[in-house]
């Protein structure tokens, strides 16, 4: 997935396009950038701004759009009217999600848009946005209405809707003491609350809009995307670092589980003739946090590892709660053997069992036919029952557990390991 950030350069990398590149990398997608202006600033002081020429902006737009498939666009700082119009012309007819984050003033006081350009910002960029994400100050500034009650908030919404906005999210409202509320307006209205973190920071607005774009580009609804962005931003602020002498710079820690599992999936797909080992119901590959409480603590693929002919591909994204069946297997295994945190399901083949045994792997099995009717009738409980049954006498964790199916149920092998790499190592030994 390729996401494009159009905005200003912030040499402190706390905000602007540098911050967005970090956000996209943390989320394991590819970030492209088009620079509209260069600023000089650090964590305590804002210096100068120079917008890029229309010619250079056009050249950047042409070079990016002529080469890459773009899955979503975020527009941040655009300093002047001519650059606003140029961006509008280039992207107005695209059918990808567009987030417009109205950037007016920096956390260190720099004015990031020319006064004379506000009119064109409203006229051109706001109407083409899938969603706009002003904070309280920006919403007040653009609508020229002070927000001091829910009633004035509705006036602001009306004002934005008059500009042609489809959806609006106003972030950082403190409607109750020490509670930060985001006001999400789509066809319906929602208030999303969380505890305030008392720290002035540099970067949270950019974290919000860039992570929101990621979620929208994955076809999540505006409301789901807003939840995702709120969580992402909360984590970024909690993890903010004092890198320079002034404000803390926000940054979400990258998820180590994510990159380990992602690498292992790529390695798995590249194993020669691996399509022969993918079951009819396809494969999932999971990696659990330590001490998982439910499948929402387990990273899996929201789709599957799918074979089409001889080709094997990953369909969907890595998400906590992305797998149900393989995740349930690891959840059950992990209760007895807490260091086992990763697993993949493969097609049942006698040949595979023989190879596992020849390599002295510990292989267990269960018979689904023997599953008590009380368990069978409960959706999703067969795997839990089967794994528990297989581990009954185990002193050591098995490397693989299989069953030979039941009426209408495909036989299956699950390979287990301490992490995705160890699962791949086991598979590489047998195939
Ligand atoms: O946070 C908004 C923002 C966006 N873009 C640039 C910035 C800032 C804030 O400082 O400098 C370039």
């Amino acid at each position: 997935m390729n996401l494009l950030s159009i905005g200003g350069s912030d040499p402190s990398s706390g905000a602007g396009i540098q911050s967005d590149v970090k956000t996209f990398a943390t989320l394991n997608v590819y970030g492209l950038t088009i620079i509209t202006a260069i600023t000089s600033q650090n964590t305590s002081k804002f210096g100068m701004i120079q917008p890029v020429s229309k010619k250079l902006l056009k050249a950047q737009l042409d070079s990016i759009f002529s080469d890459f498939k773009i899955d979503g666009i975020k527009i941040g700082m655009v300093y002047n009217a001519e650059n606003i119009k140029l961006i509008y012309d280039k992207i107005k007819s695209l059918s990808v999600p567009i987030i417009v984050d109205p950037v007016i003033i920096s956390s260190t006081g720099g004015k990031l848009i020319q006064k004379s350009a506000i009119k064109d910002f409203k006229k051109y960029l706001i109407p083409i946005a899938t969603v706009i994400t002003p904070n309280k100050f920006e919403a007040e500034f653009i609508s020229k209405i002070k927000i001091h009650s829910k009633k004035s908030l509705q006036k602001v919404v009306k004002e934005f809707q008059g500009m042609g906005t489809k959806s609006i999210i106003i972030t950082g409202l403190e409607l109750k003491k020490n509670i930060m509320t985001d006001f999400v307006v789509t066809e319906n209205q929602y208030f999303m609350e969380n505890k305030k973190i008392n720290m002035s920071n540099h970067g949270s607005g950019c974290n919000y809009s860039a992570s929101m774009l990621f979620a929208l580009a994955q076809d999540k609804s505006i409301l789901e995307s807003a939840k995702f962005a709120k969580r992402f931003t909360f984590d970024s602020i909690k993890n903010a670092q004092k890198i320079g002498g002034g404000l803390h710079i926000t940054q979400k820690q990258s998820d180590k589980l994510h990159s380990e599992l992602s690498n292992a999936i790529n390695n798995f797909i590249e194993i020669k003739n691996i399509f022969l080992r993918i079951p009819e119901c396809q494969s999932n590959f999971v990696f659990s946090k330590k001490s998982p409480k439910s499948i929402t603590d387990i990273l899996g693929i929201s789709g599957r590892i799918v074979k089409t002919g001889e080709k094997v591909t990953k369909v969907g994204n890595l998400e906590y709660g992305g797998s149900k069946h393989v995740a349930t297997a690891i959840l059950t295994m992990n209760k007895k053997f807490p260091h086992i945190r990763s697993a993949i399901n493969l097609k049942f083949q006698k040949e595979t069992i023989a190879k596992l045994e020849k390599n002295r792997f510990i292989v267990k099995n269960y018979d689904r036919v023997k599953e008590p009717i009380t368990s069978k009738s409960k959706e999703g409980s067969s795997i839990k029952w089967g794994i528990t049954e297989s581990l009954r006498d185990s002193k050591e964790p098995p490397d693989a557990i299989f069953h030979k199916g039941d009426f209408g149920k495909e036989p299956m092998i699950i390979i287990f390991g301490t992490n995705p790499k160890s699962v791949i190592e086991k598979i590489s030994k047998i195939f």
Side-chain angles (χ1 to χ4, degrees), residues 7-11 14-18 37 39 41 46 74 76-77 101 103-108 110 112 138 202-206:
S9 160
D10 167 6
I17 54 148
Q18 287 89 343
T39 72
Q41 58 179 306
F46 197 90
K74 170 191 151 172
M77 173 186 177
D101 189 7
V103 171
I104 309 287
I105 202 161
S106 84
S107 39
T108 44
L112 303 173
E138 290 156 350
H202 185 49
S204 55
C206 293

Side-chain angles (χ1 to χ4, degrees), residues 44-228:
S44 43
K45 200 160 177 259
F46 197 90
M48 63 178 280
I49 294 179
Q50 189 168 103
V52 303
S53 67
K54 197 173 161 188
K55 192 171 166 199
L56 183 53
L57 181 61
K58 183 172 182 308
Q60 292 182 75
L61 287 159
D62 290 343
S63 54
I64 292 301
F65 284 105
S66 64
D67 194 12
F68 301 96
K69 176 181 170 285
I70 305 289
D71 300 297
I73 302 172
K74 170 191 151 172
I75 304 173
M77 173 186 177
V78 190
Y79 189 63
N80 59 18
E82 68 173 9
N83 286 352
I84 287 172
K85 284 183 211 156
L86 183 60
I87 293 166
Y88 165 79
D89 276 337
K90 195 73 191 178
I91 69 172
K92 64 180 178 218
S93 47
L94 298 178
S95 53
V96 295
I98 297 172
I99 294 205
V100 173
D101 189 7
V103 171
I104 309 287
I105 202 161
S106 84
S107 39
T108 44
K111 289 196 178 54
L112 303 173
I113 181 166
Q114 259 179 345
K115 214 165 168 217
S116 57
I118 305 269
K119 180 166 65 49
D120 289 310
F121 184 84
K122 293 186 196 175
K123 181 172 166 193
Y124 293 103
L125 296 185
I126 288 187
I128 58 167
T130 313
V131 55
I132 60 167
T133 56
N135 61 24
K136 176 174 182 264
F137 168 80
E138 290 156 350
E140 289 179 334
F141 185 91
I142 296 169
S143 69
K144 301 203 180 92
I145 299 166
K146 271 263 170 229
I147 301 171
H148 43 67
S149 63
K150 287 198 175 172
K151 205 167 155 201
S152 50
L153 205 48
Q154 294 302 338
K155 279 196 201 154
V156 172
V157 168
K158 274 237 153 57
E159 186 68 25
F160 275 112
Q161 283 168 339
M163 295 173 209
T165 316
K166 295 175 203 79
S167 300
I168 313 160
I169 302 176
I170 304 176
T171 58
L173 297 165
E174 198 172 345
L175 301 171
K176 297 178 202 160
K177 203 168 157 42
N178 288 325
I179 301 287
M180 293 318 272
T181 300
D182 292 347
F183 182 42
V184 180
V185 183
T186 57
E187 297 89 55
N188 297 308
Q189 299 190 345
Y190 309 89
F191 289 94
M192 288 171 39
E193 297 182 342
N194 67 263
K195 262 206 332 253
K196 181 176 176 180
I197 307 174
N198 273 317
M199 182 207 295
S200 38
N201 67 70
H202 185 49
S204 55
C206 293
N207 297 147
Y208 187 90
S209 47
S211 60
M212 170 107 195
L213 177 64
F214 167 81
L216 278 182
Q218 319 264 345
D219 287 330
K220 292 202 189 309
S221 69
I222 300 238
L223 185 62
E224 282 176 311
S225 302
K227 278 187 198 157
F228 178 82

Side-chain angles (χ1 to χ4, degrees), residues 6-57:
I6 302 178
S9 160
D10 167 6
S12 79
S13 297
I17 54 148
Q18 287 89 343
S19 160
D20 291 347
V21 169
K22 289 189 293 180
T23 296
F24 297 149
T26 298
L27 293 167
N28 288 292
V29 290
Y30 197 80
L32 298 158
T33 59
I34 288 177
I35 302 185
T36 59
I38 297 177
T39 72
S40 70
Q41 58 179 306
N42 57 29
T43 53
S44 43
K45 200 160 177 259
F46 197 90
M48 63 178 280
I49 294 179
Q50 189 168 103
V52 303
S53 67
K54 197 173 161 188
K55 192 171 166 199
L56 183 53
L57 181 61

Side-chain angles (χ1 to χ4, degrees), residues 262-275:
S262 185
N263 284 340
I265 291 170
N266 291 340
N267 292 336
F268 176 77
I269 286 170
E270 279 162 17
I271 296 174
K272 195 160 174 244
N273 289 331
I274 200 65
F275 74 94

